[in-house]
Amino acid sequence: MKQWYQRRVRGTRRPDEIAIKFLLPDVVVGALLSKKAAALKRIRDQTGHYKDFVLKLSAKGQFYPGTKDERMVALAGPPQLIHRACCLLQDQIIDDPYLVLDESGTNDAGPRQGQMKLIVSDRAASKIIGSRGSVVKDISRHFNIVIAITQSKDIIVPDERLVTIIGPSRNVFDSLEPIIYQIAQQDTHVETDFEYYEQYNKPKPTEVVEEKSSEEPPSESQETVTENSTSDGSKVAPEEVMDAEKETECVDEKEAEEKSQKEEETKADDEETKVEEEETKAEEKEGNTVKEDITDSAKSEVNDDVTETVKNKENEANEDKEEKKDDKGETEKKKLEKQAAKKDGRWVWQTDSLGKPLWVWVDSKKDPPYANRTRGW
């Protein structure tokens, strides 16, 4: 590692300060702040001899955009202190007992303890990649790790990229020094504040498109027809207009007479219907007295039938609940058996048939399929 690093450093000079953000799982933050933040104070004590060193933790529920539970730790200061702070924070992830799911082989990307996540500027990421990926390939091969950098099409926060170093802890710690050196070879770094991330965490409002009707309402000029003119626009003689007015008056008189006749007929019909309604009401009163005696016996029979049906339904519901409980118990047992089977193993850092290193979960009863392997993180 020293030979590789000296070969790169020879003839160059580092800037005084750099700034990055370290991603820390929300589960680990509880251990970091427990016992009056003893772990956080220890990290500050080991890096606090430089008065301008910055170490800030994001607020509760303030995660990096695009992640579900990754809190941010802003670091700013000399490169050697940044390296030390990253290693101490990564130790908190490795020693955390609550990352059980990652340890039991349920994470496809490998254990979270075997990943270090850093937020760097876009220019710093280009320095880590190098021309045509030469730098990142050299670091990965030399330290037997994998470096994953967010592609430009997947960037959420402008001018920031996520760098994930994947591999055993010793290899990750060794590779961190040349990576920080590449970050220090340029002057643009990420900000140490967290407020500007709120605009990227908010859900985008759905755009409502109003559908306009193609049919426009007719204008007043189209609806109205002027006097002495037809709808076609041709003019009409005044004599014809007078005859038309007389005809309309006659029609109006006839319509009024017909309306009066209809009103009289409706009044007579209403009177007849009222008389019929009174007669039917009297008949109903007489019939109700007879029906009451019959309905009492019928109601008692109906109530008995209803109680029986309700009891049957309750018994069926209880049976269904018991069956569901049994099914849930069986599914939970199966899950526990699977988890127990997964926990009976270990994560192994190994190379596949193409020579690419990766994390693989191996049961304790089986051996890794490849010869080149490193146990644990």
Side-chain angles (χ1 to χ4, degrees):
M1 189 272 292
K2 290 183 179 180
Q3 293 178 356
W4 187 94
Y5 186 65
Q6 288 174 358
R7 178 161 48 86
R8 293 273 178 179
V9 171
R10 191 174 299 161
T12 60
R13 184 176 63 85
R14 294 183 179 180
D16 294 331
E17 293 183 358
I18 64 171
I20 64 171
K21 285 188 175 74
F22 187 95
L23 295 188
L24 200 66
D26 193 27
V27 178
V28 181
V29 175
L32 191 67
L33 300 177
S34 63
K35 297 179 181 179
K36 298 181 180 180
L40 189 62
K41 288 179 182 178
R42 185 175 68 253
I43 296 171
R44 284 177 176 169
D45 291 340
Q46 295 187 21
T47 56
H49 62 275
Y50 187 75
K51 61 179 181 179
D52 295 330
F53 184 78
V54 177
L55 192 151
K56 293 195 301 183
L57 179 65
S58 63
K60 184 178 180 181
Q62 192 174 23
F63 305 129
Y64 187 75
T67 62
K68 295 180 180 179
D69 59 348
E70 296 287 347
R71 297 270 289 274
M72 296 168 283
V73 181
L75 302 171
Q80 63 272 19
L81 295 183
I82 298 292
H83 180 273
R84 186 181 300 173
C86 289
C87 292
L88 293 172
L89 290 170
Q90 188 67 17
D91 285 335
Q92 293 294 321
I93 297 174
I94 294 170
D95 297 335
D96 190 87
Y98 295 101
L99 294 175
V100 179
L101 291 176
D102 291 345
E103 294 177 2
S104 60
T106 58
N107 191 359
D108 295 334
R112 182 62 179 88
Q113 292 92 334
Q115 302 175 32
M116 181 184 288
K117 297 184 179 183
L118 308 174
I119 303 299
V120 301
S121 64
D122 196 9
R123 289 186 62 185
S126 64
K127 286 287 185 181
I128 296 170
I129 295 170
S131 61
R132 298 182 180 180
S134 60
V135 177
V136 70
K137 288 178 182 177
D138 196 358
I139 296 173
S140 299
R141 289 171 184 170
H142 189 273
F143 296 102
N144 189 24
I145 59 167
V146 174
I147 301 174
I149 302 175
T150 307
Q151 297 182 359
S152 57
K153 63 180 181 180
D154 299 328
I155 292 175
I156 299 175
V157 181
D159 300 329
E160 289 187 6
R161 291 201 188 187
L162 172 62
V163 179
T164 306
I165 310 168
I166 306 171
S169 58
R170 184 180 297 176
N171 300 11
V172 171
F173 291 156
D174 291 342
S175 65
L176 184 61
E177 190 172 359
I179 289 171
I180 288 177
Y181 168 74
Q182 293 297 324
I183 296 171
Q185 295 308 304
Q186 44 83 44
D187 298 330
T188 58
H189 303 289
V190 296
E191 298 180 8
T192 56
D193 297 330
F194 307 109
E195 296 177 355
Y196 64 95
Y197 289 117
E198 294 179 358
Q199 57 184 330
Y200 304 107
N201 284 323
K202 292 179 180 179
K204 295 181 180 180
T206 55
E207 297 180 356
V208 179
V209 180
E210 296 181 355
E211 295 180 356
K212 296 182 178 180
S213 58
S214 59
E215 296 179 357
E216 296 180 355
S219 60
E220 295 179 356
S221 60
Q222 294 176 355
E223 291 179 352
T224 57
V225 180
T226 56
E227 292 181 359
N228 300 334
S229 64
T230 61
S231 60
D232 298 333
S234 59
K235 293 184 178 181
V236 181
E239 294 177 355
E240 294 177 356
V241 172
M242 294 294 289
D243 294 335
E245 289 177 355
K246 288 179 181 180
E247 289 177 357
T248 53
E249 289 177 358
C250 294
V251 171
D252 293 335
E253 290 177 357
K254 288 180 181 179
E255 290 178 354
E257 290 177 357
E258 290 176 356
K259 285 182 180 179
S260 62
Q261 290 177 358
K262 288 180 180 180
E263 288 176 355
E264 291 176 355
E265 290 176 355
T266 53
K267 286 180 181 179
D269 293 334
D270 292 336
E271 291 177 355
E272 291 178 357
T273 53
K274 285 180 181 179
V275 173
E276 291 177 355
E277 287 177 355
E278 290 176 356
E279 292 177 355
T280 53
K281 285 180 180 179
E283 291 176 355
E284 287 177 356
K285 287 180 180 179
E286 293 177 355
N288 287 332
T289 55
V290 178
K291 288 180 181 179
E292 286 178 357
D293 299 332
I294 299 168
T295 53
D296 290 335
S297 60
K299 283 180 180 178
S300 61
E301 293 177 357
V302 170
N303 290 328
D304 295 334
D305 295 335
V306 170
T307 52
E308 288 179 0
T309 54
V310 169
K311 287 180 180 179
N312 293 328
K313 287 182 179 179
E314 288 179 353
N315 293 328
E316 291 177 357
N318 292 326
E319 290 176 357
D320 293 335
K321 286 181 180 179
E322 289 177 357
E323 289 178 358
K324 288 180 180 179
K325 286 181 180 178
D326 294 335
D327 294 337
K328 287 182 180 179
E330 290 178 359
T331 53
E332 289 178 357
K333 285 180 182 179
K334 289 179 181 179
K335 287 181 180 179
L336 292 172
E337 288 175 359
K338 288 181 180 179
Q339 288 180 359
K342 286 183 177 179
K343 288 180 182 178
D344 190 12
R346 64 188 186 279
W347 283 107
V348 176
W349 182 252
Q350 61 185 26
T351 55
D352 58 7
S353 58
L354 300 176
K356 182 181 178 181
L358 74 165
W359 284 111
V360 177
W361 179 260
V362 179
D363 294 334
S364 59
K365 297 178 181 179
K366 299 179 181 179
D367 291 328
Y370 307 111
N372 186 11
R373 57 181 181 269
T374 304
R375 182 176 177 176
W377 45 76

